Amino acid sequence: MSLSRAPRRTLLAVGVLTAAVALSACSSDNNGKSGGGGNTNFVTNTGGVSTVAKGERTAPNDIVGETLDGKRLDVADLKGKVVVLNAWGSWCGPCRAEAPHFAKVAKDLKGQGVEFVGLNTRDPNKQPAIAFEEDYGVPYPSLYDPQGKLILFGFPKGTLNPQAIPSTVVLDKEGKIAARSLMALDEKKLRSMIEPLLKEK
């Protein structure tokens, strides 16, 4: 390894670690205020849900990997449906609070053009995350993302990206980022993010 490569690798590793540690903090903030810096073209309402107008939405980067049950999943394959991406960890109290609501809404909307995908992060091994899904009857797959790489790099800079755990990002039927929440959601708020997108032509 050359001397010029070593510092760059070290800096990259430190940068990823710093960002991942920042993401690992559980969010129970209910004011929903979050910036993205620059011209982000999104608005945040008082309920903490940020949205982007249809003509100004951006597609995520690749969000693909192995699920907790060992299968390959590529979120891009779900284009044509509204996709709910929920970043969570088994260690996160607010994630446990919202899990029953996500399980219920996912079951209710199955077959109505809505898919749920979890982004499990900061669980060093799969067992606690698998137990979490079993305990709460989670009916949808979760990508296993222990180092937070999908969360950090799966969303372009300046878009509605996950910035806390839990975070929820909803993609429209064209596979573009349409809404985001940076806090634990109840059934009513979760449905409020999904239903307008189901009505879009």
Side-chain angles (χ1 to χ4, degrees), residues 28-33 44-51 84 98 101-102 105 109 116 168-170 179-197:
S28 58
D29 179 15
N30 288 322
N31 68 16
K33 292 194 174 158
T44 303
N45 68 22
T46 54
V49 175
S50 303
T51 58
V84 180
E98 73 176 4
H101 303 293
F102 275 75
V105 175
L109 297 181
F116 280 67
T168 301
V169 175
V170 184
R180 177 193 64 187
S181 172
L182 298 175
M183 61 185 182
L185 296 171
D186 60 18
E187 180 180 348
K188 183 178 178 182
K189 282 190 177 175
L190 178 56
R191 287 181 182 274
S192 77
M193 294 176 73
I194 299 167
E195 287 167 1
L197 299 175

Side-chain angles (χ1 to χ4, degrees), residues 139-157:
Y140 51 85
S142 284
L143 288 164
Y144 183 53
D145 186 28
Q147 295 177 329
K149 290 180 181 177
L150 294 175
I151 295 170
L152 290 171
F153 303 119
F155 301 85
K157 187 176 180 181

Side-chain angles (χ1 to χ4, degrees), residues 6-201:
R8 261 186 271 153
R9 286 183 182 167
T10 303
L11 283 173
L12 180 61
V14 169
V16 169
L17 181 61
T18 302
V21 168
L23 272 174
S24 69
C26 272
S27 171
S28 58
D29 179 15
N30 288 322
N31 68 16
K33 292 194 174 158
S34 167
N39 183 17
T40 53
N41 292 326
F42 61 83
V43 293
T44 303
N45 68 22
T46 54
V49 175
S50 303
T51 58
V52 183
K54 187 171 183 181
E56 298 173 348
R57 296 173 188 163
T58 306
N61 298 326
D62 290 340
I63 302 176
V64 59
E66 184 178 298
T67 62
L68 288 172
D69 60 1
K71 296 176 183 171
R72 184 181 183 279
L73 189 152
D74 186 343
V75 169
D77 293 340
L78 302 174
K79 194 171 178 180
K81 298 183 178 183
V82 173
V83 179
V84 180
L85 301 171
N86 178 242
W88 65 278
S90 67
W91 44 267
C92 166
C95 300
R96 289 191 285 275
E98 73 176 4
H101 303 293
F102 275 75
K104 181 180 188 306
V105 175
K107 288 172 187 169
D108 288 351
L109 297 181
K110 188 70 177 169
Q112 296 184 40
V114 180
E115 292 287 340
F116 280 67
V117 176
L119 302 174
N120 171 252
T121 191
R122 311 307 295 161
D123 274 313
N125 64 70
K126 291 182 178 181
Q127 286 315 118
I130 290 169
F132 178 103
E133 291 195 328
E134 289 172 355
D135 288 347
Y136 292 102
V138 176
Y140 51 85
S142 284
L143 288 164
Y144 183 53
D145 186 28
Q147 295 177 329
K149 290 180 181 177
L150 294 175
I151 295 170
L152 290 171
F153 303 119
F155 301 85
K157 187 176 180 181
T159 63
L160 295 176
N161 51 20
Q163 296 177 356
I165 307 299
S167 288
T168 301
V169 175
V170 184
L171 308 182
D172 65 17
K173 296 173 191 174
E174 296 176 359
K176 295 182 177 180
I177 301 165
R180 177 193 64 187
S181 172
L182 298 175
M183 61 185 182
L185 296 171
D186 60 18
E187 180 180 348
K188 183 178 178 182
K189 282 190 177 175
L190 178 56
R191 287 181 182 274
S192 77
M193 294 176 73
I194 299 167
E195 287 167 1
L197 299 175
L198 277 175
K199 294 172 185 172
E200 288 183 350
K201 299 297 182 188

